[in-house]
Amino acid sequence: MAGELRHRRAPSEDEGVASSQRLDSAPAGNGKAGTSSGGGEGAEPRGGKRDALGWLEWCRGWMAIVGEFLFQRIAASHLANPLELPPLDGVSIVVTGATSGIGLEIARQLALAGAHVVMAVRRPKVAQELIQKWQNENSETGRPLNAEVMELDLLSLDSVVKFADAWNARMAPLHVLINNAGIFAIGEPQHFSKDGHEEHMQVNHLAPALLAMLLIPSLLRGSPSRIVNVNSIMHSVGFVDAEDFNLRKHKYRSWLAYSNSKLAQVKFSSMLHKRIPAEAGISIICASPGIVDTNVTRDLPKIVVAAYRFLPYFIFDGQEGSRSALFAACDPQVPEYCEMLKSEDWPVCACINYDCNPMNASEEAHSLETSQLVWEKTLEMIGLPPDALDKLIAGETVPCRYGQ
């Protein structure tokens, strides 16, 4: 695997200097978590309601994006490609969006490592063809791949409920859920799902949140288990207004809708991380793949797609982009890292960078006040009651407005 997992705490307002902690393992590269300062010039005064990032936060966010683009290949040069995985026989893993890009590579490598891989996809036929292709390429080993396909459309919350009900009905353990599927329709006009939600917010945040919540009974059966959300550095220029998730009041920009959805995912994941009891044994991780040439870019303007083709050195391919999610899903240090963050009451869940080292989420992601609002609004929008998590942990049935 990638090696050493380390975390450098960012300074809080009451601390003048940062302290650092380290988990020992095999040597690796010098991955560092960034620092967080709580606010940012240009923002509204503390206690006042903000509706956008402060200008300094916004500039720092874009600097982080540009820095990732320019230096990600150098920072991740210590990683093997493909990432070395441990034997995964007997491990059940659900991967959404597994027919292209990062998700395809995640599913393929997990299946080759012996895991029971469930490809949760919109196009089952394509997934079946991929499994057959992988099996043919792996025929010399003589071992059949343990992979199956289940239909899931994240643009339909009814489909999410149907998928979760079908899996939970098996009464089988689920060891890892990888929420990989996502969209980035840059330059496109605003679109809404049939559920009435802005499409970036639904596919990138709301549907994965509902899926994670509804699969908690199976994740408890598979404990220790993990929920891995494939996120993005773009969350650092996002801002989530809990009263306007769907960007009806604010001017719509596709890049902003994408960034907001990724920030909402970090915030919800952080609240889920804080609220799940340690004894439940479910770790929550957000993994940033880096800047990757995948089908997420299929809706980009043609000139931008062409630029992607002319800049191969800077941009990861799907296999390289899959490494952080695979690390988050399989490395034995990750649950210990999550437990450490929980014990320190860290405001953000574990975030793993493209170089398989911890990263610090954006300043805005550290705001517990807005994270709580995102938690409450998300549960409302996905049709779950406020006490859904407590009931699911207790083994009780929780009604959902969707899937009836």
Side-chain angles (χ1 to χ4, degrees):
M1 298 296 289
E4 182 181 28
L5 183 62
R6 63 180 64 181
H7 172 61
R8 181 170 297 161
R9 287 194 59 214
S12 68
E13 292 186 13
D14 298 325
E15 296 171 336
V17 296
S19 63
S20 64
Q21 297 200 14
R22 173 171 171 167
L23 298 179
D24 293 326
S25 183
N30 294 323
K32 298 180 181 178
T35 59
S36 168
S37 58
E41 287 82 348
E44 289 294 321
R46 187 172 299 277
K49 184 179 183 299
R50 300 199 305 166
D51 60 2
L53 289 181
W55 66 268
L56 191 54
E57 291 174 283
W58 190 82
C59 289
R60 277 197 288 257
W62 281 108
M63 287 178 63
I65 293 168
V66 172
E68 181 167 299
F69 173 78
L70 293 176
F71 302 112
Q72 65 176 10
R73 189 167 294 281
I74 297 171
S77 61
H78 63 283
L79 295 178
N81 186 37
L83 195 71
E84 182 182 351
L85 300 180
L88 296 173
D89 300 83
V91 178
S92 293
I93 305 177
V94 170
V95 184
T96 68
T99 55
S100 64
I102 297 172
L104 183 154
E105 284 297 329
I106 291 172
R108 182 181 69 84
Q109 293 180 57
L110 291 173
L112 292 176
H116 170 211
V117 177
V118 180
M119 300 173 70
V121 298
R122 288 186 300 114
R123 300 175 295 168
K125 183 179 179 181
V126 174
Q128 293 286 5
E129 292 172 351
L130 283 170
I131 293 174
Q132 186 60 54
K133 176 185 176 183
W134 299 338
Q135 187 64 67
N136 293 340
E137 294 172 347
N138 196 50
S139 59
E140 58 188 33
T141 67
R143 186 176 74 168
L145 299 181
N146 188 7
E148 64 171 300
V149 179
M150 294 178 66
E151 187 171 0
L152 173 65
D153 182 2
L154 297 181
L155 279 171
S156 167
L157 296 181
D158 287 336
S159 175
V160 174
V161 176
K162 181 180 179 182
F163 177 95
D165 286 347
W167 178 265
N168 288 333
R170 301 183 182 189
M171 300 301 291
L174 177 61
H175 301 98
V176 185
L177 166 63
I178 302 180
N179 282 316
N180 161 78
I183 61 170
F184 187 6
I186 192 169
E188 292 291 312
Q190 190 171 22
H191 294 291
F192 294 89
S193 70
K194 69 177 185 179
D195 300 309
H197 305 311
E198 193 277 323
E199 288 191 353
H200 289 93
M201 187 60 72
Q202 173 149 338
V203 173
N204 298 342
H205 168 54
L206 295 174
L210 178 59
L211 183 62
M213 292 289 289
L214 295 180
L215 288 177
I216 281 177
S218 293
L219 289 163
L220 288 171
R221 283 191 286 271
S223 178
S225 55
R226 313 182 194 191
I227 298 172
V228 179
N229 295 312
V230 177
N231 201 259
S232 170
I233 187 62
M234 288 291 289
H235 86 273
S236 60
V237 292
F239 183 88
V240 183
D241 183 347
E243 298 176 2
D244 190 26
F245 259 45
N246 290 317
L247 289 178
R248 295 181 184 271
K249 300 176 184 177
H250 295 76
K251 183 177 180 180
Y252 177 81
R253 298 179 179 87
S254 53
W255 66 264
L256 184 60
Y258 177 79
S259 301
N260 291 359
S261 69
K262 289 301 184 180
L263 177 61
Q265 184 179 62
V266 174
K267 285 180 167 292
F268 185 86
S269 299
S270 298
M271 295 306 296
L272 185 58
H273 160 78
K274 289 178 69 69
R275 287 169 173 267
I276 288 182
E279 56 270 21
I282 302 176
S283 300
I284 315 296
I285 310 103
C286 286
S288 178
I291 298 174
V292 186
D293 183 11
T294 73
N295 272 4
V296 169
T297 65
R298 63 184 176 271
D299 296 317
L300 295 176
K302 292 182 179 179
I303 189 171
V304 178
V305 174
Y308 263 68
R309 301 292 185 267
F310 282 109
L311 296 170
Y313 175 80
F314 297 99
I315 298 171
F316 286 165
D317 58 28
Q319 182 170 281
E320 292 168 317
S322 70
R323 292 178 294 192
S324 60
L326 289 168
F327 180 87
C330 303
D331 194 275
Q333 302 170 92
V334 171
E336 299 173 7
Y337 177 55
C338 293
E339 289 174 11
M340 183 189 75
L341 295 181
K342 185 182 284 287
S343 68
E344 293 188 350
D345 203 24
W346 192 246
V348 183
C349 68
C351 295
I352 302 297
N353 210 1
Y354 58 83
D355 60 357
C356 296
N357 280 294
M359 64 177 286
N360 213 343
S362 69
E363 297 176 38
E364 180 60 25
H366 284 70
S367 170
L368 287 175
E369 181 180 358
T370 56
S371 294
Q372 176 63 31
L373 293 174
V374 168
W375 170 266
E376 294 170 356
K377 188 63 176 180
T378 298
L379 291 180
E380 176 188 327
M381 294 176 73
I382 61 180
L384 294 178
D387 60 350
L389 180 59
D390 294 335
K391 289 185 175 179
L392 288 165
I393 294 292
E396 300 178 25
T397 301
V398 174
C400 180
R401 186 169 71 246
Y402 296 96
Q404 300 299 318

